[in-house]
Structures are given as structure tokens and as C-alpha cells.
Amino acid sequence: MYSISSKKSQKRTTLYFQAQDICEKFHKGTSSIVASGDLIKWESIGVATDLGAGNFQFEATASPAAVRFYKVIVQ
């Protein structure tokens, strides 16, 4: 089960998500957070922090784009 929420401030967006079944892959460093302004071109922007119990957090810096989409890539 996956659930995602976010909080946005002037300078950053914090993503929170829960992913019980991918915890092991995150620990091995085989996942990344990617972002896009148009859902076509995606760029890697970092790796989420493991908060324990299948909970993760990622803080993204502010984007000049009016809209920014995020997704988690697990390999």
C-alpha cells in the first residue's frame, strides 16, 4: 500500500509517503525521487529519507515552475 502527502512552503516542498513493501530497496539505495513540470521530461532530484516503519520523507527545493510533479522510482 502506498500513500503520499505533501506540504508546501515558499522555499520547499516536503513529500511524505508510506511504502511498506519497498523498504528494503530504499535501504539498498535503489530508488530515487524524480520531478517534472510537464509530465514528459523527468529529472532525478534525490533520494528520500527513511523515517522508519515504512515511512519516508523528501524535501525538494522550490521550483520556478508553476506546477511540479513528483514520483518515486524503485528499481
Side-chain angles (χ1 to χ4, degrees):
M1 174 168 188
Y2 305 100
S3 64
I4 300 171
S5 64
S6 67
K7 292 181 182 177
K8 187 173 185 174
S9 70
Q10 287 184 341
K11 300 193 185 238
R12 68 179 177 206
T13 298
T14 304
L15 306 173
Y16 300 93
F17 57 97
Q18 185 176 47
Q20 296 284 339
D21 56 338
I22 62 173
C23 292
E24 185 177 323
K25 289 185 179 186
F26 268 88
H27 290 298
K28 292 180 180 178
T30 58
S31 61
S32 64
I33 307 296
V34 296
S36 173
D38 60 9
L39 294 174
I40 296 171
K41 298 176 188 171
W42 292 88
E43 68 175 303
S44 178
I45 58 170
V47 177
T49 300
D50 185 351
L51 301 176
N55 296 298
F56 297 87
Q57 173 183 332
F58 180 78
E59 290 193 17
T61 57
S63 168
V67 175
R68 195 169 193 196
F69 301 93
Y70 300 93
K71 65 181 176 178
V72 178
I73 304 294
V74 179
Q75 300 171 344

